[in-house]
Amino acid sequence: MKSSAPAEPSGSGPERGVLERLGAARVVPVVVVDDAEQGLGVARALDDGGLPVAEVTFRTSGARAAIEAITDRHPGMLVGAGTVVDPRQVEEAVTAGAAFLVSPGLSVPVVRAAQDAGVPIVPGVATASDIMAALDLGITTVKLFPAGVVGGPAAIKALSAPFGQVRFVPTGGVSAANLPEYLGLPSVLAVGGSWMVDKKLVAAGDLAAITRRTAEAVAIAAGARPGG
Ligand SMILES: O=C(O)C(=O)C[C@H](O)[C@H](O)COP(=O)(O)O
């Protein structure tokens, strides 16, 4: 889906709606599925758990079909593509129906391709220099990755001092146990994580367990208040 409107930096204009929806959800499940059928099962389980959001990673050949199937059958769900590391994947993901893109790092060609397509992208950052590169591209919402390894909540607090305008989506090592600590930080828009959609649960088709973990995450997020 090509937009004729000029590219907007993330956090403003028509893209704002999607990022605000991620902020309202507060938790972005990172999903790895092999095909459309698995994707549909996981999407239903997430929706049943009260979280109609999925970041389907481009780590499997079935990711594109899964995004297409979920957006077709669950039109109310906010579906994005993760692990977007190549500008060609931007086109593939957007054509499949992805409403947002997530990348583990910051690639100028990937960000530009997303901006040209008019789809918000949340690139990964791990350092102050990465954040400055993101700001140069007009991006103010970034994913801190791998959050647990690069310092967790303490790193976000430290980076928020010089970069007060930046909103973080920490991902990597987030779990039900540390969720309140991340979501309690005012600069955290949402967190990303795979713990609700553990690949063993997906492989076993244990959708009930995915729904349980999702509902638990939703309940924790509802109780976590910035600054609390
Ligand atoms: O490649 C990307 O774009 C990603 O989104 C990476 C994932 O977010 C993390 O691998 C999730 O980390 P865990 O929750 O610790 O499993």
Side-chain angles (χ1 to χ4, degrees), residues 9 21 34 55 88 112 122 132 146 149 153 173 206 223:
R21 283 176 72 189
D34 290 330
E55 174 192 327
R88 278 167 306 192
R112 292 242 159 91
V122 183
M132 288 169 71
V149 176
D206 192 348

Side-chain angles (χ1 to χ4, degrees), residues 63 100 156 187:
F100 65 94
I156 295 171
S187 58

Side-chain angles (χ1 to χ4, degrees), residues 28 30-32 55 57-59 81-85 101-105 122 124 143-147 170-175 192-196:
V28 182
V30 176
V31 174
V32 183
E55 174 192 327
T57 60
F58 262 65
R59 293 185 212 175
T83 325
V84 175
V85 296
L101 308 172
V102 181
S103 195
V122 183
K143 158 176 164 171
L144 185 73
F145 180 75
T171 306
V174 181
S175 66
S194 67
W195 81 95
M196 295 146 285

Side-chain angles (χ1 to χ4, degrees), residues 27 30 174-176 179 191-198 201 213 216-217:
V27 177
V30 176
V174 181
S175 66
L179 188 56
V191 303
S194 67
W195 81 95
M196 295 146 285
V197 202
D198 190 291
L201 299 178
R213 288 191 187 191
E216 179 198 32

